[in-house]
Amino acid sequence: MCQSRKALYVFMGILIVLSLALSGCAREQAPAETRYALYAYNSEPLTNWDPAIEFSNGIHVMNNIYEQLLRYDPERDEIIPLLATEYDVSEDGLTWTFKLRQGVKFHDGSDFNAEAVKFSIERTMRLGSGAAYIWDAVEKINVIDDYTVEFQLTYPSPLDLVAATGYAAFIYSPKELRDNDDWFQAGNASGTGPYKLKSYVWGDEVVLEKFDDYWGGWADNQITTVVIKKIGEPATRRQLIETGEASVTHELPFSDVNALMDNPDVVVGVYPSFQNLLATFNTEKEPLDNVLVRQALSYAFPYDDVIDFTIGGYASQSKGAVPVGMWGHGEDLYQYSYNLDKAKELLTEAGYPEGGFSLLATYLSGDEAEKGAMELYKAELAKLNIDLEIRGMPWDSQWDLARNPDPRQRQDIFVFYWWPDLPSPYSFLYSPFHSEDEIFFNLAYYKNPEFDEMIDAANELTALDREKAEAMFIDAQNILIADAPSLFIYDKEYIWVTTKNFTGFKPNPAYPTVIFFYEATLE
């Protein structure tokens, strides 16, 4: 009896030693607590490392590294506290005071406080790039105490929406930047967000890792490592999801989406978005400098076919520039509809009765919906004796071409999606269509002082009387539609495809393509 018990103890001891040895090996290879998520993205992860400047794809990288004072919930039309816990505004809309969250650390170990808020926003305003225009109303930023900051404005502005914007509203550490304003451009980052930068390959991938001292704390099933990687080919993105190598992707062809709905290991979610497809005309180049030609081309577009055959019905035809679901959307605005007879009539009036000209349309390579839309358009324009060349390009190349100082050297039609920076109609009307001295995102090169004045006035009014501001934004879109600087094609729905163990993810259309990985879990 004693001998058998002794033998049993020896045997159990051997098992324990082996178990500890094996578990030690496992920890050396991959820590047990690591929860890894790959976001298979369809383009470059970002275009600029500076959170004051980035105004494109990097919205999803930046919003996991950095945080704003507030966050906007469009579903409930509510402002959510983030780095600010509360705020108030004076009756005239000119003074905004924010109380800040205490005990927050930057990734470099320094403390978040009112001085960091002042430094970040003043630097963003000084650089004046990207979406920095959102702070144009700010005249002065005052530090009241360590955790109270006051903004004094020159005119009323909805600073709560501004402070919740997905671009240019980030608070970052001043520590390295005081002596080196180009610190970000060297590939550095330091925010208060739940993830810090681990590594990156420019134009290909960004790797983020859990920030242990994040003020929100951590639970065991939260994601600790995030890889946001460019996977241009839709077939490859689908394969990565089906094999479980990627946790989440989007922008798959609708045929793939429908097929994946039958896969028990995959979850297909359809959500509202504030994203719309535009095809802006080069209004500084013949014959597109003629409004009648632009109107004719607007009538020649096969809106219904594009929605049905390129995106599988997961969209609705746009009514103006502000998408459905966003306040300021005008449901009763005029819509161009497919009408070749009307197009021919307008072309004749413009002096092109036989068509007889060629156009170049550029789109993001790898985006099958954009490509398909232009292929269908090409077929219709051919009926008017107009030749449309379609060219897929990487985003940086497409954008560089569009910013050529010589209008004759640019594309004729620039196809791209617009999503909000500021969660306001102003976002959809200002950057793409407000007059610019230097080309940035007004890729129609459109200039109309009456339109400019109307949307600027509506933006100021937003802080005081949103209902009147909304009516003014809708009136401004009447001008835009008549001038036809762009095809307003469709307001899309978001289709996110995830593995079934990727849970807790709920997209926020005010922060398009952003996955707040901190809110998600891997089961």
Side-chain angles (χ1 to χ4, degrees):
M1 185 71 169
C2 291
Q3 289 296 326
S4 64
R5 184 179 296 163
K6 180 178 178 182
L8 177 61
Y9 288 161
V10 171
F11 179 66
M12 289 176 65
I14 293 171
L15 285 179
I16 290 170
V17 170
L18 285 172
S19 175
L20 289 171
L22 289 172
S23 65
C25 292
R27 280 195 297 273
E28 290 177 4
Q29 294 171 8
E33 68 274 10
T34 297
R35 291 179 178 268
Y36 165 96
L38 170 64
Y39 179 6
Y41 188 62
N42 65 318
S43 187
E44 295 84 356
L46 79 168
T47 62
N48 198 300
W49 268 116
D50 196 325
I53 296 174
E54 172 59 46
F55 194 28
S56 187
N57 298 350
I59 186 171
H60 47 264
V61 175
M62 295 296 172
N63 278 278
N64 281 285
I65 295 176
Y66 301 97
E67 293 176 309
Q68 303 91 333
L69 294 176
L70 304 168
R71 185 165 291 165
Y72 179 61
D73 180 350
E75 186 176 330
R76 295 179 293 176
D77 194 20
E78 290 182 359
I79 298 293
I80 301 170
L82 203 58
L83 290 178
T85 56
E86 58 183 284
Y87 66 95
D88 60 61
V89 57
S90 60
E91 288 187 8
D92 60 6
L94 296 178
T95 303
W96 293 73
T97 306
F98 294 84
K99 293 290 186 179
L100 306 180
R101 190 177 300 278
Q102 300 186 30
V104 177
K105 293 284 187 181
F106 287 106
H107 298 164
D108 60 16
S110 59
D111 292 328
F112 163 77
N113 52 31
E115 287 288 352
V117 173
K118 176 180 170 68
F119 176 89
S120 298
I121 304 307
E122 286 184 343
R123 177 179 178 275
T124 296
M125 292 169 60
R126 171 173 58 81
L127 293 178
S129 188
Y133 77 91
I134 63 176
W135 300 104
D136 283 352
V138 175
E139 180 180 36
K140 190 175 182 181
I141 303 175
N142 299 315
V143 172
I144 306 302
D145 58 44
D146 283 350
Y147 295 101
T148 308
V149 62
E150 177 187 83
F151 290 77
Q152 294 181 354
L153 312 186
T154 56
Y155 58 84
S157 175
L159 213 69
D160 51 351
L161 295 178
V162 169
T165 300
Y167 296 101
F170 301 116
I171 310 302
Y172 39 85
S173 172
K175 184 176 179 180
E176 299 291 342
L177 290 164
R178 295 192 188 279
D179 299 321
N180 182 5
D181 206 28
D182 295 327
W183 184 74
F184 287 127
Q185 301 297 0
N188 297 304
S190 185
T192 61
Y195 297 95
K196 60 183 181 180
L197 176 64
K198 181 178 182 181
S199 64
Y200 70 95
V201 177
W202 182 255
D204 182 62
E205 73 172 22
V206 174
V207 181
L208 308 177
E209 64 180 354
K210 165 187 172 184
F211 176 44
D212 289 332
D213 292 331
Y214 180 58
W215 60 266
W218 290 93
D220 291 340
N221 60 348
Q222 287 181 276
I223 295 165
T224 58
T225 302
V226 173
V227 178
I228 302 170
K229 186 171 180 62
K230 177 184 177 181
I231 308 291
E233 289 298 320
T236 305
R237 296 201 298 277
R238 173 179 173 174
Q239 181 182 21
L240 289 171
I241 282 289
E242 289 184 301
T243 60
E245 294 174 72
S247 296
V248 58
T249 193
H250 71 150
E251 297 297 343
L252 291 180
F254 76 90
S255 55
D256 286 345
V257 169
N258 292 338
L260 288 170
M261 286 182 176
D262 296 326
N263 186 331
D265 296 322
V266 170
V267 176
V268 176
V270 181
Y271 304 91
S273 86
F274 293 155
Q275 185 169 339
N276 49 16
L277 184 62
L278 304 174
T280 54
F281 296 125
N282 184 345
T283 61
E284 294 185 334
K285 179 181 178 183
E286 293 184 0
L288 299 175
D289 58 347
N290 187 324
V291 65
L292 295 175
V293 173
R294 300 196 301 269
Q295 290 174 347
L297 295 179
S298 298
Y299 280 114
F301 194 85
Y303 300 93
D304 290 343
D305 286 349
V306 165
I307 291 170
D308 290 341
F309 299 122
T310 70
I311 200 166
Y314 294 106
S316 58
Q317 184 182 344
S318 297
K319 295 184 178 181
V322 179
V324 65
M326 168 67 73
W327 66 278
H329 170 75
E331 192 61 29
D332 296 326
L333 285 169
Y334 181 76
Q335 283 183 306
Y336 291 97
S337 57
Y338 174 68
N339 187 334
L340 281 188
D341 290 336
K342 183 67 173 176
K344 289 176 183 177
E345 178 186 322
L346 287 166
L347 285 171
T348 299
E349 187 179 348
Y352 299 91
E354 303 300 326
F357 54 87
S358 299
L359 301 171
L360 168 65
T362 64
Y363 71 94
L364 177 65
S365 54
D367 192 309
E368 294 300 307
E370 291 184 7
K371 178 182 178 182
M374 288 301 103
E375 288 175 341
L376 289 171
Y377 194 29
K378 178 183 178 73
E380 298 305 325
L381 290 180
K383 298 174 184 177
L384 299 172
N385 194 30
I386 299 170
D387 178 60
L388 180 65
E389 178 189 347
I390 305 169
R391 186 182 301 172
M393 304 178 73
W395 172 253
D396 286 348
S397 301
Q398 187 186 13
W399 201 21
D400 286 345
L401 177 66
R403 299 172 75 186
N404 192 304
D406 184 352
R408 296 167 299 176
Q409 300 301 315
R410 304 175 196 144
Q411 78 297 323
D412 300 289
I413 302 174
F414 191 108
V415 184
F416 69 113
Y417 286 106
W418 188 258
W419 53 64
D421 37 41
L422 185 72
S424 160
Y426 197 51
S427 170
F428 294 89
L429 301 173
Y430 179 87
S431 291
F433 300 111
H434 195 287
S435 302
E436 291 181 337
D437 293 329
E438 293 185 23
I439 299 168
F440 194 62
F441 260 119
N442 182 344
L443 303 176
Y445 323 105
Y446 173 67
K447 293 179 175 66
N448 185 320
E450 181 186 1
F451 172 80
D452 294 346
E453 290 174 10
M454 189 174 291
I455 65 170
D456 288 343
N459 182 53
E460 293 185 26
L461 195 56
T462 298
L464 303 174
D465 190 333
R466 186 189 284 193
E467 187 175 341
K468 288 184 179 179
E470 183 170 29
M472 194 176 292
F473 280 129
I474 292 172
D475 285 345
Q477 289 175 82
N478 282 313
I479 298 173
L480 198 63
I481 292 166
D483 284 348
S486 176
L487 294 170
F488 302 103
I489 300 176
Y490 59 66
D491 302 342
K492 68 179 294 184
E493 294 176 305
Y494 274 145
I495 305 173
W496 289 97
V497 183
T498 69
T499 52
K500 69 178 181 181
N501 68 331
F502 185 78
T503 60
F505 164 57
K506 184 180 180 182
N508 183 330
Y511 307 88
T513 79
V514 174
I515 300 169
F516 293 104
F517 283 95
Y518 180 76
E519 298 173 0
T521 57
L522 281 173
E523 302 297 340

